[in-house]
Amino acid sequence: MQLFKIHTGLIKPNQDIINVIIHSLDTSQINIEDNDILAITSKIVALSQGRIVKLEEVKPSDLALKLSKRYNLDPGYVELIIREADEIYGGTDQAICTLKEGVMIANAGVDRKNVPLGYAVLSPANPYESAQNIRQRIHDIKGKFVGIVIVDSRVTPLRLGTVGVAFGFSGFSPVRDCRGFKDLYGKPLQITRHCQVDDLAGAAHLVMGEVDERVPAILLRDTPIIISHDLNSQINKDSVMVSPNHCLFINALKYENENKVVKRE
Amino acid sequence: MQLFKIHTGLIKPNQDIINVIIHSLDTSQINIEDNDILAITSKIVALSQGRIVKLEEVKPSDLALKLSKRYNLDPGYVELIIREADEIYGGTDQAICTLKEGVMIANAGVDRKNVPLGYAVLSPANPYESAQNIRQRIHDIKGKFVGIVIVDSRVTPLRLGTVGVAFGFSGFSPVRDCRGFKDLYGKPLQITRHCQVDDLAGAAHLVMGEVDERVPAILLRDTPIIISHDLNSQINKDSVMVSPNHCLFINALKYENENKVVKRE
């Protein structure tokens, strides 16, 4: 598998990012091929949609005022988080744990990084539809069937720092269901499913970086993922989610006090 | 960044996996270079340590019997999980959520996949020390400074399927601390840290696969990670963990009933 960096200039609100990405690829003499996967940061997808907000123009609700004190965050910023989140759990210093588009993510993906001072960028609207539209446009321009994944950052339980996560995708199945496949000893697998799309997002996120690298997109080649040639396939977040009743973490932690066995510190 | 698959035959208990990996690289005419990173599955590291157990020889404790009923798992298997786990949280059908070597992982990493029927393979003993020893041996044999990451599988909150996670590593800092770095608009970053090692594990895990691929190792080249030339650096799990008090998920979910705001289903 190979990952090619797609360097760009500063992306501005409402800019056509597909033109920017294709221009960068052409300049670097990287030809898009069938079965490549294009990974794009959620930030530039959101910027291309004009999803940027001036914080002082946001009026915080009572809930925003309450949560802003509890989690040490600006009230206007918290108001955006509340408006954007699909669900809000608890939080910790400077971070509120939310559900957004099938991802448990800090602050509903609302971010003040790499946007002008006093502004916040929201997460992309309709990320699955956006990914599908990008896939269609790449096919229209280049005639190739590629996969698209919109990449955001998340933290994971008890680990320090962010990793990549798929915040929307198009053109492939996110999860390889290995149940029933034979292992090395011919035994059928019972429960194994491989969340290929989040591994893919992690690979792209590693190379994109988290600061001012100006690499908001990555082309991945020779991945093990099979790309569909049907441009009309409808994929949504349900293809990559488990219900809270089947989530190991939700189940494990919500009864923490009842079940926890601490063996050593 | 490039990822090269390292194909091997079936790895047997107590086999010298470094010899196997180097033989495969030589046969494929892939030369190890300074700053490459070698990703190895936790399973073959554990097998090389002889960490395989016949399940019928394991006598389940009362706690194992209780948890085996609750989570629909074989009592001997649960006994191994209890012995292996650093902490045990709750669980769900066929999976117990545990802490093991700094990773929140299902079933303490004890696995019945890709081992003979009736056996289970444990996770590697002393994975950080093991990674350091592998790094030293690669340097002894090939004269190159490489990074090592031992890769295991984990699930993440509300997502379907497994992704890669670093279960031990050597030769580099796992987390890039971006706090104080300037963003695209010159603003200093407040909280951003990038868990590069888990993104790296995800990239390797994507290519290794989850079934009978016989690709238990991956060589990664041109990663953004800086490899140390000090062979004696001591790294452990504390370099990649946050305390439960600072973990977004632990904090968010343990007060779930108190704080949760459900906006829409």
Side-chain angles (χ1 to χ4, degrees), chain B residues 32-34 136-146:
Chain B
I32 291 184
E33 295 177 3
D34 279 333
Q136 177 73 56
R137 276 198 64 205
I138 300 281
H139 186 262
D140 291 346
I141 298 168
K142 292 286 185 184
K144 303 295 181 187
F145 293 98
V146 299

Side-chain angles (χ1 to χ4, degrees), chain B:
Chain B
M1 186 167 77
Q2 275 187 292
L3 288 82
F4 300 100
K5 291 183 186 184
I6 301 174
H7 295 274
T8 69
L10 201 64
I11 306 292
K12 297 184 189 68
N14 301 303
Q15 193 167 1
D16 183 331
I17 53 170
I18 300 307
N19 283 346
V20 172
I21 287 169
I22 285 180
H23 177 76
S24 173
L25 285 168
D26 289 346
T27 306
S28 313
Q29 298 185 299
I30 301 168
N31 294 315
I32 291 184
E33 295 177 3
D34 279 333
N35 305 315
D36 285 349
I37 297 180
L38 184 62
I40 309 177
T41 64
S42 60
K43 182 155 294 154
I44 70 163
V45 177
L47 281 172
S48 74
Q49 296 172 338
R51 304 244 307 150
I52 182 169
V53 179
K54 195 169 187 175
L55 284 163
E56 69 175 26
E57 291 174 358
V58 179
K59 186 176 172 330
S61 59
D62 288 348
L63 180 59
L65 291 168
K66 184 176 140 194
L67 297 181
S68 77
K69 277 184 200 138
R70 189 185 291 167
Y71 301 121
N72 187 25
L73 287 164
D74 174 75
Y77 180 56
V78 174
E79 175 61 28
L80 290 178
I81 294 166
I82 293 169
R83 290 182 195 170
E84 285 291 305
D86 297 334
E87 293 189 14
I88 298 167
Y89 303 93
T92 181
D93 184 50
Q94 295 191 64
I96 297 174
C97 183
T98 64
L99 183 69
K100 177 71 178 174
E101 291 290 348
V103 182
M104 281 187 88
I105 193 167
N107 302 331
V110 183
D111 197 0
R112 288 166 295 184
K113 191 176 64 180
N114 289 329
V115 285
L117 187 65
Y119 287 82
V121 64
L122 310 179
S123 60
N126 309 313
Y128 287 86
E129 194 184 314
S130 301
Q132 193 178 352
N133 291 341
I134 294 168
R135 179 166 133 87
Q136 177 73 56
R137 276 198 64 205
I138 300 281
H139 186 262
D140 291 346
I141 298 168
K142 292 286 185 184
K144 303 295 181 187
F145 293 98
V146 299
I148 304 293
V149 58
I150 297 173
V151 176
D152 212 318
S153 294
R154 64 168 165 178
V155 292
T156 57
L158 289 181
R159 303 291 272 191
L160 181 63
T162 60
V163 293
V165 67
F167 197 78
F169 43 84
S170 178
F172 58 91
S173 293
V175 178
R176 183 173 182 225
D177 188 347
C178 308
R179 291 175 299 174
F181 290 14
K182 300 284 173 58
D183 76 1
L184 288 172
Y185 291 87
K187 308 195 311 295
L189 302 183
Q190 303 290 329
I191 58 171
T192 304
R193 282 176 281 201
H194 179 181
C195 190
Q196 291 182 311
V197 76
D198 283 340
D199 271 344
L200 184 83
H205 184 254
L206 176 63
V207 180
M208 288 166 164
E210 273 280 16
V211 194
D212 62 349
E213 290 85 354
R214 296 194 192 192
V215 180
I218 300 284
L219 194 74
L220 296 102
R221 182 157 294 163
D222 293 329
T223 80
I225 292 173
I226 295 160
I227 304 301
S228 165
H229 281 215
D230 174 8
L231 288 168
N232 298 309
S233 65
Q234 299 295 323
I235 298 176
N236 61 37
K237 66 187 178 188
D238 295 339
S239 62
V240 72
M241 285 190 76
V242 291
S243 72
N245 291 339
H246 292 103
C247 172
L248 186 61
F249 294 97
I250 303 272
N251 277 282
L253 295 173
K254 78 178 175 186
Y255 302 118
E256 188 190 27
N257 295 329
E258 182 193 337
N259 289 332
K260 189 175 175 186
V261 181
V262 176
K263 289 177 61 190
R264 45 185 179 271
E265 286 304 309

Side-chain angles (χ1 to χ4, degrees), chain A residues 1 3 70 82 86 88 114-115 154 159 162 183-184 187 193 195 198-199 205 259 261 263-264, chain B residues 1 3 70 82 86 88 102 114-115 159 162 183-184 187 193 198-199 205 259 261 263-264:
Chain A
M1 184 167 79
L3 289 82
R70 188 187 290 167
I82 293 169
D86 296 334
I88 298 167
N114 289 329
V115 285
R154 64 168 165 177
R159 303 291 272 191
T162 61
D183 75 2
L184 288 172
K187 309 195 309 297
R193 282 176 279 201
C195 189
D198 282 341
D199 271 344
H205 184 253
N259 288 333
V261 180
K263 288 176 61 191
R264 45 186 179 273
Chain B
M1 186 167 77
L3 288 82
R70 189 185 291 167
I82 293 169
D86 297 334
I88 298 167
N114 289 329
V115 285
R159 303 291 272 191
T162 60
D183 76 1
L184 288 172
K187 308 195 311 295
R193 282 176 281 201
D198 283 340
D199 271 344
H205 184 254
N259 289 332
V261 181
K263 289 177 61 190
R264 45 185 179 271

Side-chain angles (χ1 to χ4, degrees), chain A residues 174-215:
Chain A
V175 177
R176 184 173 182 225
D177 188 347
C178 308
R179 291 173 300 173
F181 290 14
K182 301 283 173 60
D183 75 2
L184 288 172
Y185 291 86
K187 309 195 309 297
L189 301 184
Q190 302 291 328
I191 57 170
T192 303
R193 282 176 279 201
H194 179 181
C195 189
Q196 292 182 310
V197 76
D198 282 341
D199 271 344
L200 183 83
H205 184 253
L206 176 62
V207 180
M208 288 165 164
E210 271 281 16
V211 193
D212 61 349
E213 289 84 355
R214 299 194 191 192
V215 180

Side-chain angles (χ1 to χ4, degrees), chain A:
Chain A
M1 184 167 79
Q2 276 186 290
L3 289 82
F4 301 98
K5 291 183 186 183
I6 301 175
H7 295 273
T8 69
L10 201 64
I11 305 292
K12 296 184 190 69
N14 301 304
Q15 193 167 4
D16 183 332
I17 54 170
I18 300 307
N19 283 347
V20 171
I21 287 169
I22 286 181
H23 176 74
S24 174
L25 285 167
D26 289 346
T27 306
S28 313
Q29 297 185 299
I30 302 167
N31 294 316
I32 291 183
E33 295 177 5
D34 279 333
N35 305 315
D36 285 348
I37 297 180
L38 183 64
I40 310 177
T41 64
S42 61
K43 182 155 295 154
I44 70 163
V45 177
L47 281 173
S48 75
Q49 296 172 337
R51 303 245 306 151
I52 183 169
V53 179
K54 195 170 189 175
L55 285 163
E56 68 174 28
E57 291 174 359
V58 180
K59 187 174 173 331
S61 60
D62 289 347
L63 179 60
L65 291 169
K66 184 177 141 194
L67 296 182
S68 77
K69 278 184 200 138
R70 188 187 290 167
Y71 301 120
N72 187 25
L73 285 165
D74 175 77
Y77 181 56
V78 174
E79 176 61 29
L80 291 179
I81 295 167
I82 293 169
R83 290 182 195 169
E84 285 290 305
D86 296 334
E87 292 188 14
I88 298 167
Y89 303 93
T92 182
D93 184 50
Q94 295 191 64
I96 297 174
C97 184
T98 63
L99 183 69
K100 176 72 178 174
E101 290 290 347
V103 182
M104 281 187 86
I105 193 166
N107 302 331
V110 182
D111 196 359
R112 289 166 295 183
K113 192 174 64 179
N114 289 329
V115 285
L117 186 66
Y119 287 81
V121 63
L122 311 178
S123 60
N126 309 311
Y128 287 87
E129 194 184 314
S130 301
Q132 192 178 351
N133 290 341
I134 294 168
R135 181 165 132 87
Q136 177 72 57
R137 274 198 63 204
I138 300 280
H139 186 264
D140 291 345
I141 298 169
K142 292 285 185 184
K144 302 295 180 185
F145 293 98
V146 299
I148 303 293
V149 57
I150 297 173
V151 176
D152 211 318
S153 294
R154 64 168 165 177
V155 291
T156 58
L158 288 181
R159 303 291 272 191
L160 182 63
T162 61
V163 293
V165 67
F167 197 80
F169 43 84
S170 178
F172 56 93
S173 293
V175 177
R176 184 173 182 225
D177 188 347
C178 308
R179 291 173 300 173
F181 290 14
K182 301 283 173 60
D183 75 2
L184 288 172
Y185 291 86
K187 309 195 309 297
L189 301 184
Q190 302 291 328
I191 57 170
T192 303
R193 282 176 279 201
H194 179 181
C195 189
Q196 292 182 310
V197 76
D198 282 341
D199 271 344
L200 183 83
H205 184 253
L206 176 62
V207 180
M208 288 165 164
E210 271 281 16
V211 193
D212 61 349
E213 289 84 355
R214 299 194 191 192
V215 180
I218 300 283
L219 193 75
L220 296 101
R221 182 158 295 163
D222 292 330
T223 79
I225 292 173
I226 295 160
I227 304 301
S228 164
H229 281 214
D230 173 9
L231 288 169
N232 298 310
S233 66
Q234 298 295 324
I235 299 177
N236 62 37
K237 65 187 178 188
D238 294 339
S239 61
V240 72
M241 285 190 77
V242 290
S243 73
N245 290 340
H246 292 102
C247 172
L248 186 61
F249 293 96
I250 303 272
N251 277 282
L253 295 173
K254 78 179 176 185
Y255 303 118
E256 188 190 28
N257 296 328
E258 181 192 339
N259 288 333
K260 189 177 177 185
V261 180
V262 176
K263 288 176 61 191
R264 45 186 179 273
E265 286 304 310

